[in-house]
């Protein structure tokens, strides 16, 4: 048996034998003294660790995001490689993955050395049913200049008044085909100066865009060679609203009528109150504006063209023996699904979309998602084309559908494609379109034409009062 007692930090152990012998063994335990300074330091370190750990993790995450953004940006702006034109990048970037996992450009364009020696090929004399297109006008067809012949309100003296019978007749392919294609009456609008007309007649290859109603800024093209700068006309169509908006931003037209590489064409007397329809004139019937041009590339005003135009023509037209090239739609494949999406996004009224789709069903257009192995729906922010007779006819028919029905041109493109059955239509993958342009979106809301005319009238009345 043993017993112990603790008195003020001193432990005394006593065994039975020691008690008997009168000996007591004393073991002293020293009391530990804590230093206040070191204890406070440890508390500060623990508190700092708790506070700094999330900050360190956040810094690491931001660093990783910045690195990944830099890597993707460098990849999307790298020079085009020899990737396959039909390769699709499922990540959504303008590149495709090769077998070894490396990223390659989705669009195969000739290198700068080869582009220096590129010459425009002659448009081949193809064995096609259409040899010549005659455009209807009030001078050649004075009996057609009657607005009472149609109930479609958007037809006017610029378009002519196409009846449904004339519409059906225009889809019949003949060696010499007569068709409505804008500029019907000399007083119909879309006026440009004689100086601008002479300039447009001098162009053999055109990159065109437009901004009516002050909607978008002018994005300077990049990525072209010196040869293309000398051979290609870069033309931007503006109205007075856009010029005023751009001058407020400091972008003034120079004495040479240029802003950067763009030759500015000022348009007077726009024929439609809907600015979207006014924009379809240079977009769809550019052959009426550039009568001597052999090729043209359309770029929406929200986009910056970032490739060499001659290289694009070689890649999308000459290399594949195509006449017309535009992108597959990125989200949908059926024109009937597109009609539902247009209504859902309030891009057109349900009534006008129904009229258009009912007519297409009546004309036998199936609800199919594929056509000739490609998507049956296109996205037309970039249009690459030649100016051969059959292509010109195709674009006239497309323009007439846009005027007759809704302004959403992707809804009428598959209809015209099926009706005409034109060979040489190249629907390239979405990643190739993203390789062609940088998209910035629409910067400001377009001012309707009637609002601008009302504004001008108010200014005139105010000046008279003063």
């Amino acid at each position: 048996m043993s017993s112990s007692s603790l008195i003020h930090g001193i432990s005394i152990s006593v065994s039975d034998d020691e008690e008997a012998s009168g000996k007591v063994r004393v073991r002293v335990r020293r009391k530990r003294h804590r230093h206040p300074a070191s204890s406070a330091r440890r508390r500060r370190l623990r508190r700092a660790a708790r506070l700094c750990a999330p900050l360190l993790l956040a810094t690491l995450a931001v660093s990783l995001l910045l690195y990944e953004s830099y890597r993707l940006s460098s990849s999307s702006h790298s020079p085009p490689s020899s990737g396959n034109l039909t390769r699709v990048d499922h990540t959504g970037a303008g590149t495709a993955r090769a077998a070894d996992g490396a990223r390659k450009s989705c669009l195969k364009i000739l290198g700068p050395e080869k582009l220096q020696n590129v010459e425009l090929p002659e448009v081949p004399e193809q064995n096609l049913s259409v040899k010549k297109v005659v455009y209807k006008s009030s001078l050649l067809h004075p009996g057609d200049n009657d607005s009472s012949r149609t109930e479609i309100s958007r037809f006017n003296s610029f378009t002519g008044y196409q009846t449904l019978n004339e519409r059906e007749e225009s889809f019949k392919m003949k060696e010499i085909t007569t068709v409505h294609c804008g500029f019907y009456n000399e007083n119909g609008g879309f006026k440009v100066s004689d100086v601008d007309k002479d300039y447009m007649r001098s162009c053999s290859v055109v990159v065109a865009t437009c901004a009516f109603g002050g909607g978008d800024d002018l994005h300077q093209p990049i990525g072209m060679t010196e040869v293309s700068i000398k051979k290609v006309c870069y033309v931007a169509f503006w109205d007075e609203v856009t010029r005023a908006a751009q001058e407020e931003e400091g972008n003034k037209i120079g004495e040479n009528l240029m802003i950067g590489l763009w030759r500015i064409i000022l348009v007077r007397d726009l024929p439609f109150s809907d600015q979207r329809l006014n924009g379809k004139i240079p977009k769809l019937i550019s052959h009426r504006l550039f009568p001597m041009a052999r090729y043209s590339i359309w770029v929406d005003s929200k986009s910056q063209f970032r490739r060499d135009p001659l290289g694009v023509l070689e890649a999308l037209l000459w290399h594949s023996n195509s006449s017309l090239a535009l992108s597959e739609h990125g989200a949908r494949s059926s024109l009937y699904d597109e009609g539902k999406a247009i209504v859902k996004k309030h891009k057109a009224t349900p009534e006008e979309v129904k009229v258009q789709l009912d007519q297409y069903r009546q004309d036998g257009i199936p609800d199919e998602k594929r056509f000739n192995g490609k998507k049956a729906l296109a996205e037309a922010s970039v249009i690459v084309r030649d100016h051969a007779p059959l292509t010109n006819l195709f674009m006239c028919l497309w323009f007439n559908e846009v005027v007759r029905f809704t302004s959403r041109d992707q809804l009428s493109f598959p209809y015209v494609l099926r009706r005409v059955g034109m060979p040489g239509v190249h629907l390239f993958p979405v990643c190739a379109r993203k390789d062609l342009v940088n998209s910035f979106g629409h910067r400001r809301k377009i001012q309707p034409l009637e609002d601008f005319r009302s504004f001008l009238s108010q200014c005139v009345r105010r000046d008279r009062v003063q």
Side-chain angles (χ1 to χ4, degrees):
M1 294 287 295
S2 67
S3 64
S4 66
S5 62
L6 182 62
I7 304 174
H8 300 297
I10 301 176
S11 176
I12 303 175
S13 300
V14 181
S15 67
D16 291 341
D17 294 338
E18 290 171 340
E19 287 183 287
S21 60
K23 298 177 180 179
V24 179
R25 185 175 63 189
V26 178
R27 183 170 67 240
V28 179
R29 294 181 180 173
R30 295 182 181 276
K31 185 177 181 180
R32 296 180 179 177
H33 297 284
R34 297 185 177 180
H35 298 284
S38 62
S39 181
R41 189 163 49 251
R42 286 193 295 271
R43 286 196 299 271
R44 285 197 298 270
L45 289 173
R46 286 194 295 269
R47 188 180 300 112
R50 287 195 301 269
L51 293 174
C52 292
L55 182 61
L56 289 172
L57 291 174
T59 303
L60 179 60
V62 171
S63 300
L64 290 173
L65 286 173
L66 290 175
Y67 169 75
E68 184 68 12
S69 175
Y70 172 78
R71 186 176 65 82
L72 291 176
S73 176
S74 300
S75 173
S76 64
H77 289 82
S78 60
S81 66
S82 57
N84 191 326
L85 274 176
T86 60
R87 299 288 298 269
V88 178
D89 178 20
H90 296 287
T91 64
T95 55
R97 286 194 178 276
D100 58 1
R103 289 184 179 274
K104 293 187 176 182
S105 174
C106 195
L107 186 65
K108 181 181 178 181
I109 295 182
L110 296 177
E113 299 80 10
K114 293 184 178 180
L115 285 174
Q116 295 293 332
N117 301 316
V118 166
E119 296 292 338
L120 296 181
E122 293 293 333
V123 177
E125 290 292 336
Q126 299 174 339
N127 185 22
L128 299 175
S129 55
V130 177
K131 303 294 185 182
K132 182 180 179 181
V133 179
V134 177
Y135 306 115
K136 283 198 171 188
S137 73
S138 58
L139 295 177
L140 296 177
H141 307 85
D144 293 343
N145 192 21
D146 182 5
S147 60
S148 65
R149 298 172 67 241
T150 179
E151 296 179 359
I152 304 300
S153 61
R154 295 205 300 187
F155 284 133
N156 54 31
S157 58
F158 175 81
T159 61
Y161 301 91
Q162 184 196 55
T163 65
L164 284 173
N165 288 334
E166 289 172 330
R167 171 181 179 266
E168 185 62 28
E169 193 68 22
S170 67
F171 283 101
K172 298 177 181 179
M173 299 297 102
K174 305 172 185 176
E175 283 198 4
I176 300 178
T177 300
T178 302
V179 64
H180 290 86
C181 197
F183 300 94
Y184 182 80
N185 190 298
E186 61 180 5
N187 297 318
F190 209 90
K191 301 293 186 179
V192 300
S193 70
D194 291 338
V195 172
D196 291 336
K197 286 181 181 179
D198 291 340
Y199 176 81
M200 291 190 290
R201 288 184 63 86
S202 71
C203 298
S204 58
V205 178
V206 183
V207 175
T209 189
C210 81
F212 297 139
D216 289 311
D217 289 339
L218 187 65
H219 304 292
Q220 291 297 324
I222 58 175
M224 73 292 291
T225 62
E226 290 295 329
V227 172
S228 286
I229 294 177
K230 295 177 181 178
K231 291 184 177 181
V232 177
C233 297
Y234 292 88
V235 178
F237 293 91
W238 282 4
D239 61 356
E240 289 294 341
V241 182
T242 300
R243 178 167 71 170
Q246 288 299 304
E247 285 184 351
E248 288 182 1
E249 300 285 340
N251 300 320
K252 294 186 177 181
I253 303 173
E255 293 182 0
N256 60 352
L257 306 179
M258 306 280 289
I259 296 180
L261 289 176
W262 291 104
R263 173 64 156 78
I264 308 300
I265 304 290
L266 287 176
V267 182
R268 308 182 313 276
D269 192 16
L270 292 170
F272 301 105
S273 60
D274 185 348
Q275 295 286 24
R276 294 172 300 176
L277 272 181
N278 290 321
K280 304 304 179 185
I281 297 169
K283 179 175 183 177
L284 299 182
I285 54 174
S286 58
H287 55 282
R288 300 300 317 269
L289 296 166
F290 301 93
M292 307 306 293
R294 292 160 61 185
Y295 298 95
S296 65
I297 300 173
W298 166 262
V299 181
D300 273 2
S301 59
K302 64 183 178 183
S303 301
Q304 177 190 39
F305 193 60
R306 58 187 295 262
R307 293 298 181 196
D308 184 89
L310 298 180
V312 171
L313 291 172
E314 194 281 333
L316 297 179
L317 295 186
W318 308 335
H319 185 75
S320 58
N321 195 29
S322 300
S323 298
L324 172 65
L326 60 168
S327 170
E328 292 181 328
H329 199 285
R332 287 167 291 280
S333 302
S334 163
L335 73 90
Y336 295 102
D337 291 341
E338 180 68 9
K340 296 175 184 176
I342 288 172
V343 172
K344 184 177 181 180
K345 295 179 180 180
H346 306 289
K347 301 293 185 180
T349 65
E351 294 76 16
E352 61 182 345
V353 171
K354 183 179 184 303
V355 168
Q356 185 170 5
L357 296 185
D358 285 349
Q359 182 66 55
Y360 289 175
R361 289 190 182 95
Q362 180 179 331
D363 293 342
I365 304 301
D367 186 6
E368 295 179 354
K369 301 182 184 300
R370 310 293 290 182
F371 182 69
N372 290 340
K374 296 281 187 177
K375 276 189 175 183
L377 196 65
E379 199 275 347
S381 61
V382 179
I383 302 175
V384 185
R385 53 167 295 204
D386 65 24
H387 286 207
L390 183 57
T391 310
N392 293 345
L393 173 62
F394 183 99
M395 302 304 286
C396 292
L397 297 174
W398 190 5
F399 176 74
N400 292 335
E401 291 297 293
V402 169
V403 175
R404 177 175 291 275
F405 298 110
T406 70
S407 302
R408 312 306 297 179
D409 49 46
Q410 68 269 31
L411 201 58
S412 47
F413 172 81
Y415 174 82
V416 178
L417 182 61
R418 289 181 181 273
R419 289 293 306 269
V420 176
M422 186 176 80
V425 177
H426 181 186
L427 294 181
F428 51 83
V430 174
C431 64
R433 169 169 52 86
K434 294 183 177 181
D435 208 9
L436 286 171
V437 296
N438 295 320
S439 183
F440 295 96
H442 296 296
R443 181 179 177 187
R444 58 180 72 85
K445 188 176 181 180
I446 295 175
Q447 183 175 347
L449 188 59
E450 55 265 29
D451 291 352
F452 177 62
R453 288 172 175 165
S454 175
F455 170 75
L456 288 179
S457 299
Q458 292 175 9
C459 292
V460 171
R461 288 195 298 269
R462 183 182 60 195
D463 291 342
R464 288 175 178 174
V465 171
Q466 294 175 349

